[in-house]
Amino acid sequence: MISLLQFFLLPLLAFAAPSPLGWHFVQNGSTGVIPIEAIVVSPTLAILLDKVQNDPLQIDGHGAWGALWSFETNTATALRVVSDTWCGSGGFLSNGTMVSVAGNVPQTPYTTDGRMMIRLFEPCTDPSGASCPLIEDAQHLLLAQNRWYPSTLRVFDGSLMVVGGMHDIAHFYNVDPANSFEFFPSKDGGVPRPSAFLERTLPSNLFPRVFALPDGKIFMIANTQSIIYDIETNTETRLPDIPNGVRVSNPFDASATLLPLTPPHFTPEVLVCGGSTKNDSIPVEELSAQDPASDQCSRITLTPEGIKKGWIVERMLEGRVMSEMLLMPNGKIMIINGAQTGYGSSDSVMDRIPGEQSNADHPAFTPVLYTPDAPLGQRFSKEGMPTTDIARLYHSAVTLTPSGNIFIAGSNPMSNVDNTTKFHSEFRAEYLNPPYMSVERPILRDVPAIIPFNHAFSVTVEIPAGIRASSMKVALIDLGFSSHGFHSSSRLVFMDAVLSRDRKSITITSPPNNRVFPPGPAYIFLTVDDVTSVGAHVLVGDGGAPPVKDQGIPL
Ligand SMILES: *[C@@H]1O[C@H](CO)[C@@H](O)[C@H](O)[C@H]1NC(C)=O
Ligand SMILES: *[C@@H]1O[C@H](CO)[C@@H](O)[C@H](O)[C@H]1NC(C)=O
Ligand SMILES: *[C@@H]1O[C@H](CO)[C@@H](O)[C@H](O)[C@H]1NC(C)=O
Ligand SMILES: *[C@@H]1O[C@H](CO)[C@@H](O)[C@H](O)[C@H]1NC(C)=O
């Protein structure tokens, strides 16, 4: 006979046991530096970049301000960074080299001025990264002008476009603007291209949200405005403003993403969520960390008809500032991190907690999934989402990993390492594991290392017997570069794919050309009945150094 105690305990124990299925936060390891910027550089490694500060991870007798994070060991190894990368950005070139750009002025005798720096990390096949340096050359590898808080974007010819920023350190608003575009490798003899759009969107146009459209043109959002920029004719076309006066670039950081592109039309749609409706004429000293962030998402289809319709408004489950969006292999959008009140930047609003520098409060602890093709009003869901207790506010980073889970790190609204405040320097690394991380997954094998455009190729697959294979998606994903709530160059292009009758191989057709997917590194993920494989690392295009010629067939 079971006792009354057992009667009550049994079901409780059953619930308390960790469930293998579902979404889970898992803490593992310490980053040693604060990842203000993060980018996956190989199947096993991410580069984490911090400002120059007293980080616990050491190199050359001082705090490191960069690290290689190993997804295999969950440890950080110091990376030698010579110039200050504080609040820069970066991305890959068509030949697979990672480029980090911009930064700030030296804070210690150990660093050099990072504001004009271009840093290279060549393709690295060493799983530990020990033999792969960050290359800096203050004589020859330089931007045309100082930039702090710029965005970057890999474009159709495989070059990196660098957008906006400010020349020198400024307090919250952009009062010393670099209102221009430039490229690496440089175009126009290295002369930056002035932008009327960036002029119009002062003083809150930092880290503009920029996207490469499938025709090669560039869609940009800053402050409340949007444009399409044509690199080939150097012309800007003004598009509708974000409805209801919501400001979406730094320091009002909303998150934004290009939604997954699907064959045969690859119709581009952009979603921007959160930010703030506060007037940017208000001096920062009069803004409050308790000001509610916007819950507005605005979505636009970037075709002539879609532009005529303008932005369609929908509402998140809460307001968010400084959150980030990730493209998941099944085409859903993960909205994660950030706060429900306040602003980006730090140490500037009126009512900070005494001794603290966070401009934001009320961290958003529960991620949200957005389903782009669900009916309007039913797209946001927290169902089954776990809640963390680690605040990820200013100077945090997040990225999808090659394994298919989500790496989350950093947060430091303080101006130096400080472990004592409520919103302190955060070194704990965390993963958000989707349900497919705890079941038997499909496996991709024999994936070619280089994938030309408009090309059909066959790969071997292993699909677990328990999966019926009633639906299948093959996603080509650029994992992007995380900095300040924006995932530069992040992109998902679905590829047509046919499973063989014996379920042992798939024939995949790559994107039609280098405008639909700007040439460069990517991961291929196979999702069968909503169970996703580990990503296969590929280089899309001919692997040539930028600028590369148009490849494939026109859309
Ligand atoms: C802050 O915490 C980290 C992680 O626990 C530790 O390694 C570091 O030494 C601490 N730094 C300071 C200045 O207290
Ligand atoms: C943390 O990661 C390491 C390396 O992958 C692994 O061996 C260890 O079991 C993990 N610890 C936890 C608590 O998951
Ligand atoms: C913002 O404030 C300025 C200065 O007070 C004012 O001229 C402007 O109309 C305001 N803008 C909005 C959208 O309220
Ligand atoms: C890629 O191109 C850039 C720019 O020309 C160059 O600096 C870099 O070394 C190249 N990388 C490889 C792997 O060839």
Side-chain angles (χ1 to χ4, degrees):
M1 194 187 122
I2 57 168
S3 73
L4 200 59
L5 187 67
Q6 277 172 315
F7 180 77
F8 280 112
L9 269 182
L10 279 172
L12 280 180
L13 284 176
F15 276 110
S19 154
L21 290 173
W23 293 83
H24 297 284
F25 277 112
V26 179
Q27 253 180 64
N28 199 331
S30 168
T31 53
V33 301
I34 303 287
I36 296 178
E37 302 161 39
I39 182 169
V40 172
V41 289
S42 81
T44 56
L45 295 170
I47 286 185
L48 314 179
L49 295 172
D50 193 1
K51 63 190 275 208
V52 171
Q53 57 184 338
N54 58 335
D55 280 309
L57 193 65
Q58 297 285 305
I59 191 168
D60 303 333
H62 58 76
W65 32 88
L68 283 168
W69 178 260
S70 164
F71 297 122
E72 291 182 322
T73 62
N74 289 318
T75 53
T77 308
L79 178 69
R80 184 168 290 105
V81 183
V82 177
S83 62
D84 190 353
T85 61
W86 184 21
C87 299
S89 190
F92 289 101
L93 304 177
S94 48
N95 62 3
T97 294
M98 196 283 290
V99 182
S100 138
V101 298
N104 208 278
V105 281
Q107 312 273 306
T108 78
Y110 306 115
T111 41
T112 56
D113 189 340
R115 289 172 299 178
M116 285 172 67
M117 288 300 282
I118 296 169
R119 312 165 191 91
L120 305 180
F121 188 82
E122 302 286 13
C124 177
T125 52
D126 173 353
S128 79
S131 60
C132 303
L134 190 69
I135 301 162
E136 297 183 73
D137 177 352
Q139 298 302 312
H140 304 101
L141 274 175
L142 291 173
L143 295 170
Q145 54 179 274
N146 287 348
R147 290 185 194 270
W148 198 45
Y149 283 66
S151 288
T152 49
L153 179 68
R154 186 171 71 258
V155 301
F156 63 88
D157 68 3
S159 314
L160 202 67
M161 180 175 185
V162 187
V163 181
M166 54 184 146
H167 295 124
D168 212 340
I169 195 159
H171 197 58
F172 200 73
Y173 290 126
N174 187 359
V175 293
D176 185 8
N179 283 336
S180 61
F181 313 139
E182 62 176 290
F183 300 86
F184 179 74
S186 65
K187 301 190 191 298
D188 320 312
V191 181
R193 302 177 174 190
S195 167
F197 164 66
L198 291 175
E199 288 291 337
R200 280 200 309 275
T201 51
L202 289 171
S204 38
N205 67 1
L206 296 168
F207 284 111
R209 279 44 175 157
V210 295
F211 308 93
L213 298 179
D215 64 0
K217 298 194 177 87
I218 311 301
F219 179 65
M220 301 191 181
I221 320 172
N223 204 335
T224 58
Q225 298 184 26
S226 69
I227 59 162
I228 286 179
Y229 175 67
D230 186 334
I231 293 174
E232 289 155 295
T233 59
N234 189 19
T235 49
E236 298 183 349
T237 306
R238 191 162 178 178
L239 264 50
D241 288 356
I242 306 282
N244 306 316
V246 180
R247 296 176 207 284
V248 299
S249 42
N250 178 276
F252 297 91
D253 300 87
S255 52
T257 188
L258 181 68
L259 295 179
L261 298 170
T262 305
H265 301 299
F266 304 97
T267 306
E269 288 187 82
V270 165
L271 178 72
V272 53
C273 292
S276 175
T277 50
K278 276 285 168 181
N279 191 328
D280 62 1
S281 306
I282 301 173
V284 62
E285 298 79 15
E286 293 170 23
L287 295 175
S288 163
Q290 304 305 318
D291 291 338
S294 173
D295 65 353
Q296 177 174 304
C297 291
S298 312
R299 177 164 160 177
I300 193 167
T301 303
L302 294 160
T303 56
E305 313 78 68
I307 291 166
K308 209 173 283 172
K309 264 195 202 156
W311 295 92
I312 311 288
V313 168
E314 42 196 312
R315 301 273 160 203
M316 287 188 285
L317 305 173
E318 68 265 283
R320 283 192 186 239
V321 63
M322 298 184 288
S323 56
E324 201 163 318
M325 286 185 188
L326 298 175
L327 295 159
M328 299 301 292
N330 64 359
K332 295 194 183 192
I333 314 297
M334 171 67 62
I335 304 173
I336 189 166
N337 296 351
Q340 298 175 64
T341 65
Y343 303 92
S345 193
S346 64
D347 203 20
S348 35
V349 301
M350 62 176 168
D351 57 349
R352 301 182 307 280
I353 302 168
E356 305 232 351
Q357 295 175 358
S358 180
N359 282 349
D361 201 350
H362 307 285
F365 288 124
T366 311
V368 175
L369 264 184
Y370 177 85
T371 307
D373 51 6
L376 189 67
Q378 297 170 34
R379 294 178 182 155
F380 298 94
S381 172
K382 283 186 180 175
E383 203 186 314
M385 278 297 155
T387 295
T388 177
D389 58 1
I390 304 180
R392 304 289 182 177
L393 304 177
Y394 209 51
H395 290 163
S396 60
V398 57
T399 182
L400 185 71
T401 74
S403 306
N405 59 356
I406 293 164
F407 172 72
I408 308 158
S411 187
N412 191 18
M414 304 302 291
S415 56
N416 214 330
V417 172
D418 190 326
N419 293 339
T420 63
T421 51
K422 179 180 173 202
F423 298 126
H424 52 79
S425 309
E426 186 57 71
F427 294 96
R428 287 172 291 178
E430 206 177 16
Y431 290 90
L432 175 56
N433 288 337
Y436 53 73
M437 296 300 287
S438 35
V439 298
E440 210 190 334
R441 304 165 69 184
I443 297 171
L444 288 171
R445 294 196 196 284
D446 313 320
V447 179
I450 297 197
I451 313 254
F453 289 102
N454 191 42
H455 172 72
F457 59 101
S458 188
V459 304
T460 306
V461 290
E462 280 174 34
I463 298 175
I467 296 181
R468 282 180 50 220
S470 52
S471 75
M472 187 178 76
K473 284 177 175 173
V474 180
L476 182 69
I477 301 188
D478 184 322
L479 299 175
F481 186 107
S482 174
S483 180
H484 293 77
F486 182 56
H487 230 78
S488 293
S489 300
S490 122
R491 193 176 200 81
L492 190 165
V493 176
F494 281 119
M495 299 188 288
D496 278 328
V498 181
L499 181 64
S500 66
R501 207 168 276 246
D502 64 3
R503 308 191 353 155
K504 288 190 174 146
S505 71
I506 304 183
T507 304
I508 302 174
T509 306
S510 68
N513 62 53
N514 57 303
R515 294 174 184 243
V516 171
F517 194 94
Y523 289 83
I524 295 177
F525 290 91
L526 166 67
T527 300
V528 187
D529 293 1
D530 224 25
V531 181
T532 298
S533 71
V534 165
H537 187 217
V538 296
L539 189 59
V540 187
D542 63 10
V548 297
K549 291 210 163 59
D550 274 334
Q551 296 159 41
I553 51 158
L555 248 193

